[in-house]
């Protein structure tokens, strides 16, 4: 070994060994992507526990049914409100139908034609036209006309009695009015004869002196039977009573009148013009008959007549339903407000009683929204249950009233689903604040209180 070759010192050998043992340093770009994150000094994060909707529904239903007595008291207001709502819809539609039926049976089937009038000197009205004596025949062929009759007031008659002998000591009584009518009057006004019969076309053509008395006029004249052919005197002329009118659908004044045939009144009592033409029509034919009747009476001057036709029955039904709805909906809203307050108060009480349970759930990892959802579901379930019970109570109330009044119950198919939906909305609105309050409870304070 030569002297030029030097052995490495001990210190240099240690440096080389340390360099060999040290890890190789990567480049800057590689070190950027391989850089390790610093460890969190607080420890690893634990994912919060999740509660499934199935568990929420199960727990909520158990909470609702935990206290049955309290639940029934809570449901009282909601049941009353929903029952009022359902009954409102049913009663409004049923009442509208019943009134519309009466309207259709009477007013909706009647058209009245009268001569036109104009104001004369002194402010009095005078007729500008006359109804033809054959008006019944002229309108009988119109579509929708079922019956028609002429009607006239006999103003010239001043005395109607049952005896011809005058008693000066007797108190003076106003005689019943005398009216003239064609034989079709009974069917036109939907009248019924209580005793005897109504005069026919033969009596009218022959101008027979026969009369039909309204039941009130018969009582005033002392006529209570027609079997012995009783007679009354009109202007000192005897007229045979052949019938007593018992009921009428229209023209109630006929019940206190003495009715004579039109031809008889023209020939014996000086009748010069008819007062009106009453027409009984089919339901829904009012507009057509009102437009065509004046043309049939006088094609040259149809505007010379005044026509009274029925209004649309749908508007009447809608008006009745609207009035009834306002009344019952006010009651239903008040009851629903009471039911919502009841649900809210009971839910708040439940939150206070279950603070320990809420704290335990939060300590086990339940989220605030899980707590809020649970109490919201409990409130909605209570509202839905109240809605179902209210719908049943409302339907039974409607059916009971209709059975007593002998009405036909009418209810919209959407009334029952609407009642349940309203119950759910009431429960949702009432449970919002208690649910938020339950979600904000601190788990430590809740466990300490428990």
């Amino acid at each position: 070994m030569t002297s030029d070759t030097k052995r490495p010192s001990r210190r240099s050998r240690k440096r080389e060994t340390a360099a060999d043992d040290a890890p190789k340093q990567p480049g800057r770009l590689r070190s950027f992507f391989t850089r390790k994150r610093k460890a969190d000094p607080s420890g690893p994060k634990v994912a919060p526990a999740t509660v499934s909707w199935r568990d929420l529904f199960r727990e909520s239903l158990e909470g609702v049914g935990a206290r049955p007595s309290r639940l029934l008291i809570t449901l009282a207001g909601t049941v009353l409100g929903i029952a009022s709502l359902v009954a409102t819809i049913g009663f409004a539609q049923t009442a509208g139908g019943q009134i519309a039926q009466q309207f259709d049976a009477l007013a909706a089937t009647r058209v009245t034609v009268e001569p036109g009038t104009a104001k004369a000197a002194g402010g009095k009205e005078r007729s500008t036209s006359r109804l033809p004596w054959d008006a019944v025949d002229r309108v009988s062929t119109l579509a929708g006309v079922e019956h028609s009759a002429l009607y006239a007031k006999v103003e010239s008659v001043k005395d109607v009695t049952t005896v011809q002998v005058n008693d000066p000591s007797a108190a003076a009584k106003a005689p019943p009015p005398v009216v003239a009518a064609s034989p079709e009057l009974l069917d036109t006004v939907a009248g019924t004869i209580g005793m005897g019969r109504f005069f026919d076309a033969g009596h009218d053509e022959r101008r027979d002196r026969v009369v039909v008395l309204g039941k009130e006029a018969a009582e005033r004249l002392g006529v209570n039977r027609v079997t012995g052919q009783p007679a009354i005197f009109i202007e000192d002329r005897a007229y045979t009573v052949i019938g007593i009118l018992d009921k009428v659908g229209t023209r109630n004044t006929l019940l206190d009148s003495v009715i004579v045939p039109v031809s008889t009144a023209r020939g014996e009592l000086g009748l010069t013009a008819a007062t009106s033409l009453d027409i009984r029509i089919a339901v829904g034919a009012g507009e057509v008959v009102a437009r065509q009747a004046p043309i049939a009476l006088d094609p040259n001057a149809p505007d010379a007549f005044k026509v009274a036709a029925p209004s649309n029955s749908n508007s009447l039904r809608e008006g009745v339903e609207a009035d009834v709805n306002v009344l019952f909906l006010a009651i239903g809203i008040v009851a629903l407000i009471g039911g919502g307050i009841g649900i809210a108060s009971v839910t708040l009480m439940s939150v206070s009683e279950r603070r320990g349970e809420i704290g335990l759930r939060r300590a086990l990892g339940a989220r605030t929204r899980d707590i809020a959802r649970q109490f919201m579901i409990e409130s909605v379930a209570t509202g839905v249950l109240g809605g179902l019970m209210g719908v049943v109570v409302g339907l039974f109330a409607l059916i009971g009233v209709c059975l007593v009044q002998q009405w036909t119950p009418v209810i919209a198919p959407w009334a029952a689903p609407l009642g349940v939906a309203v119950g759910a909305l009431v429960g949702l609105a009432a449970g919002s604040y208690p649910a938020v309050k339950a979600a904000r409870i601190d788990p430590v304070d809740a466990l300490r209180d428990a």
Side-chain angles (χ1 to χ4, degrees):
M1 174 181 274
T2 62
S3 60
D4 295 335
T5 305
K6 294 183 180 180
R7 296 180 64 184
S9 63
R10 183 179 297 179
R11 181 175 297 178
S12 63
R13 288 198 300 266
K14 288 183 179 180
R15 289 178 186 158
E16 293 175 359
T17 305
D20 294 337
D21 294 339
K24 296 180 179 180
Q25 297 294 331
R28 290 185 178 181
L29 185 60
R30 185 178 179 183
S31 63
F32 177 79
F33 287 102
T34 60
R35 187 176 298 170
K36 296 182 179 180
R37 296 181 180 179
K38 295 181 180 180
D40 190 356
S42 61
K45 291 185 177 180
V46 180
T50 58
V51 182
S52 64
W53 285 100
R54 181 179 179 182
D55 294 335
L56 281 176
F57 278 106
R58 186 177 65 251
E59 294 292 338
S60 301
L61 293 179
E62 290 179 358
V64 170
R67 296 174 176 83
S69 58
R70 179 187 296 180
L71 176 63
L72 292 177
I73 296 175
T74 307
L75 291 176
T78 307
V79 170
L80 180 60
I82 300 300
S84 301
L85 178 65
V86 175
T88 295
I89 300 172
F91 284 136
Q93 294 178 339
T94 302
Q98 294 298 319
I99 294 178
Q101 287 179 4
Q102 298 295 328
F103 180 79
D104 292 342
L106 299 176
T109 58
R110 180 186 180 190
V111 173
T112 304
V113 183
E114 297 179 352
T117 58
K119 287 188 178 181
K124 295 183 179 181
E125 290 187 353
R126 61 180 182 84
S127 298
T128 57
S129 62
R130 287 189 177 185
L131 290 169
W133 295 111
D134 60 344
V136 174
D137 296 331
R138 295 189 183 191
V139 300
S140 61
T141 58
L142 298 180
V145 174
E146 296 182 351
H147 302 282
S148 59
L150 280 174
Y151 173 86
K153 295 180 180 179
V154 184
E155 304 289 351
S156 60
V157 175
K158 304 298 182 183
D159 188 21
V160 178
T161 59
T162 53
V163 293
Q164 198 171 9
V165 179
N166 295 325
D167 185 3
S169 62
K173 294 182 180 180
V178 178
V179 298
S182 57
E184 299 84 4
L185 179 68
L186 186 65
D187 294 328
T188 304
V189 299
T192 56
I193 293 293
M195 191 178 300
R197 53 172 298 194
F198 203 80
F199 51 79
D200 54 24
H203 294 107
D204 187 54
E205 292 177 359
R206 294 188 300 268
R207 298 185 177 184
D208 292 341
R209 294 180 180 177
V210 294
V211 297
V212 174
L213 303 178
K215 64 177 182 180
E216 297 176 5
E219 292 177 0
R220 292 172 60 179
L221 295 173
V223 179
N224 52 19
R225 58 187 178 86
V226 296
T227 53
Q229 292 185 344
I232 63 171
F233 292 89
I234 302 176
E235 298 291 350
D236 299 332
R237 294 177 182 178
Y239 288 77
T240 304
V241 179
I242 63 173
I244 298 177
L245 187 62
D246 184 38
K247 295 179 181 179
V248 291
T250 57
R251 286 201 180 276
N252 291 328
T253 56
L254 292 173
L255 298 178
D256 191 30
S257 302
V258 177
I259 309 170
V260 300
V262 169
S263 298
T264 304
R266 292 175 63 189
E268 301 289 340
L269 303 176
L271 180 65
T272 58
T275 305
S276 66
L277 173 66
D278 288 6
I279 306 174
R280 184 177 177 182
I281 61 172
V283 177
E287 295 182 1
V288 176
V289 174
R291 184 174 62 253
Q292 295 181 354
I295 300 175
L297 294 176
D298 190 352
N300 297 322
D303 296 334
F305 302 98
K306 296 189 300 183
V307 182
S311 59
N312 190 1
S313 61
N314 291 331
S315 60
L316 175 65
R317 183 183 292 107
E318 292 174 358
V320 172
E321 291 181 1
D323 294 340
V324 177
N325 280 333
V326 170
L327 176 62
F328 282 94
L329 282 178
I331 300 174
I333 290 173
V334 173
L336 284 176
I337 293 175
I341 294 174
I343 294 177
S345 61
V346 171
T347 306
L348 280 174
M349 187 182 302
S350 178
V351 170
S352 301
E353 293 176 351
R354 297 161 64 182
R355 287 177 61 86
E357 175 188 342
I358 296 172
L360 181 59
R361 290 180 182 274
R362 292 293 308 279
L364 292 177
R367 296 168 295 183
T368 56
R369 57 184 176 184
D370 294 330
I371 302 299
R373 286 172 181 173
Q374 179 180 349
F375 283 93
M376 287 291 292
I377 293 174
E378 290 185 11
S379 299
V380 172
T382 304
V384 170
L385 184 59
L388 290 172
M389 296 176 63
V391 168
V392 174
V393 173
L395 291 177
F396 274 105
L398 173 63
I399 295 173
V401 172
C402 291
L403 288 177
V404 173
Q405 297 294 332
Q406 295 182 353
W407 292 347
T408 301
V410 180
I411 185 68
W414 45 264
L418 177 64
V420 178
V422 170
L425 289 177
V426 170
L428 181 64
S432 299
Y433 174 71
V436 172
K437 185 175 182 181
R440 291 180 177 177
I441 294 177
D442 186 77
V444 178
D445 294 339
L447 291 174
R448 186 185 296 114
D449 295 340

